[in-house]
Amino acid sequence: MKKAVVLGAGGFIGSHLVKRLKSEGYWVRGVDLKAPEYSTTKADDFVIGDLRDVKVVNQVIDLNTDEVYQLAADMGGAGYIFTGDNDAHVMHNSGLINLHVVNECVKKKVGVVFYSSSACVYPERNQMDPDNPRCEESSVYPADPDSEYGWEKLFSERLYATFSRNHGLNAKVARFHNIFGPEGAWNNGKEKAPAAICRKVAAAPEGGVVEVWGDGKQTRSFLFIDDCLDAVRLLVKSDFSGPVNIGSEEMISINEFTKLVAEISGKKVVIKNIEGPTGVRGRSSDNRLVEEKLGWQPNNDLRSGVEKTYSWINSQVLQLG
Ligand code: NAD
């Protein structure tokens, strides 16, 4: 039986990944500062531990580990990474985790390590036009990410690359573009736009006001969690190492996205655009490389992903009263 270690297994993508690996017959160890918040972990072994501590990393990655999935990071939505308040934490916490993980994977001769980078590595200058953002993998340099979170991701991409070159690490790197779905952060200050908007619509009365940060004309694309996991698994099994985009090309403005959520909810709402952190003007995945190398494209369109996510967030809002 193959043995996988999922770092960040108490988080949104990590907890779903554990379920996926279990359904594929893996023995799985999950590691996180916390257990998953919205369902019980499916991991065979779940270690509550701080991956900034090298002793914890040493303990959880052992000699017969076939695959490591490194998803642990200090991160959140625009309200967390664009205000500047959390920059030192983001750089230091995530940087330390990755520095320990690469070293330990080499020492323990881990078969393959997957690292989740982000679309936030792409230069701001290519994402000023909401209708025409440029995010192909090769456009990442000269580097100019719009957040320290993006700079840390870029540093860590390079860290995994250097350990591959100099120490024979078998690293696979993906740049996730806005992954969403049920059981993600939705009301703790770390939620991202899709979850925040679903929550606001779910909480609004018929005809009520929904506040949207910025002018709402900023564009994004969103990838449903199941599709993200399909792509991660394909990448890990392939002989391609990336970095490669894992995202959707179905771009939408945030106001249009809000209208879509309202339509799915069956409510009429009034959108009020207010000041708030928004990030770049436009961002969408460019899937040419992932399609060429892995033959992958998302199975879920935006609407079907939003239907599943809205339904879950709505039930959370109702439970809280
Ligand atoms: P998440 O915040 O839900 O999960 C990250 C997990 O890492 C959390 O459970 C957190 O507790 C854990 N963690 C943080 N510091 C830790 C530490 N010191 N020790 C142990 N655990 C620690 O985020 P997510 O959405 O599941 O994202 C997973 C990964 O994918 C992250 O690396 C993130 O940067 C990357 N990513 C996500 C998206 C997205 O849209 N969700 C987009 C781009 C990149």
Side-chain angles (χ1 to χ4, degrees):
M1 191 187 262
K2 275 200 170 173
K3 188 169 174 183
V5 176
V6 178
L7 307 174
F12 165 51
I13 302 173
S15 59
H16 284 282
L17 178 62
V18 168
K19 285 183 213 157
R20 172 67 63 96
L21 291 169
K22 282 306 300 169
S23 75
E24 291 185 28
Y26 278 70
W27 185 93
V28 183
R29 170 176 293 144
V31 188
D32 204 299
L33 291 168
K34 59 172 177 68
E37 278 164 66
Y38 309 111
S39 62
T40 312
T41 182
K42 297 286 181 292
D44 299 278
D45 178 31
F46 196 93
V47 178
I48 299 285
D50 188 338
L51 294 160
R52 292 171 301 181
D53 180 346
V54 71
K55 291 195 285 299
V56 172
V57 182
N58 175 282
Q59 177 211 329
V60 296
I61 301 176
D62 49 33
L63 272 169
N64 51 5
T65 306
D66 298 297
E67 299 175 8
V68 169
Y69 293 81
Q70 198 327 63
L71 300 156
D74 191 356
M75 64 95 67
Y80 190 74
I81 61 174
F82 292 125
T83 58
D85 297 343
N86 305 301
D87 286 352
H89 278 316
V90 166
M91 296 284 265
H92 190 251
N93 294 341
S94 301
L96 270 184
I97 297 171
N98 287 308
L99 286 163
H100 295 327
V101 169
V102 282
N103 224 9
E104 216 52 46
C105 286
V106 169
K107 278 199 330 219
K108 305 289 172 56
K109 298 189 169 53
V110 165
V112 51
V113 54
F114 169 83
Y115 173 60
S116 51
S117 181
S118 164
C120 290
V121 295
Y122 288 113
E124 192 169 10
R125 65 177 172 278
N126 292 336
Q127 301 171 85
M128 306 296 242
D129 177 357
D131 297 323
N132 199 19
R134 202 179 141 215
C135 290
E136 78 254 37
E137 287 79 353
S138 57
S139 68
V140 77
Y141 294 109
D144 186 23
D146 70 339
S147 65
E148 300 302 346
Y149 168 77
W151 278 105
E152 190 283 325
K153 289 290 187 193
L154 203 53
F155 165 78
S156 290
E157 282 192 5
R158 299 190 71 94
L159 182 68
Y160 285 85
T162 53
F163 271 64
S164 301
R165 272 204 309 279
N166 295 159
H167 300 309
L169 184 70
N170 181 16
K172 312 275 183 185
V173 177
R175 295 177 182 151
F176 290 160
H177 289 244
N178 273 315
I179 315 302
F180 77 109
E183 301 188 11
W186 63 279
N187 70 341
N188 63 0
K190 289 195 163 187
E191 63 275 19
K192 300 178 133 202
I197 290 168
C198 285
R199 184 198 68 225
K200 289 177 186 181
V201 171
E206 172 65 26
V209 171
V210 168
E211 291 186 338
V212 171
W213 288 350
D215 63 9
K217 293 181 183 144
Q218 66 273 27
T219 53
R220 291 295 184 274
S221 65
F222 304 104
L223 181 70
F224 191 63
I225 180 71
D226 294 0
D227 289 319
C228 169
L229 299 179
D230 290 346
V232 169
R233 293 292 297 132
L234 279 174
L235 177 60
V236 166
K237 285 187 263 184
S238 76
D239 54 14
F240 179 56
S241 49
V244 66
N245 291 329
I246 292 183
S248 159
E249 291 181 322
E250 199 179 338
M251 194 168 79
I252 188 167
S253 77
I254 297 299
N255 276 356
E256 288 304 317
F257 180 83
T258 309
K259 288 181 196 161
L260 174 67
V261 176
E263 196 184 305
I264 287 168
S265 77
K267 288 181 202 172
K268 288 212 162 39
V269 299
V270 177
I271 295 174
K272 184 177 173 202
N273 291 109
I274 59 163
E275 281 221 359
T278 57
V280 293
R281 290 299 291 159
R283 174 173 291 155
S284 179
S285 189
D286 179 327
N287 285 354
R288 285 172 295 178
L289 187 65
V290 72
E291 193 163 12
E292 179 199 323
K293 297 290 184 186
L294 304 179
W296 174 88
Q297 275 291 348
N299 282 320
N300 291 273
D301 63 9
L302 180 63
R303 173 178 277 273
S304 70
V306 174
E307 281 169 355
K308 293 172 222 175
T309 309
Y310 180 79
S311 155
W312 181 77
I313 292 179
N314 191 37
S315 68
Q316 298 294 306
V317 169
L318 291 173
Q319 265 176 42
L320 275 189

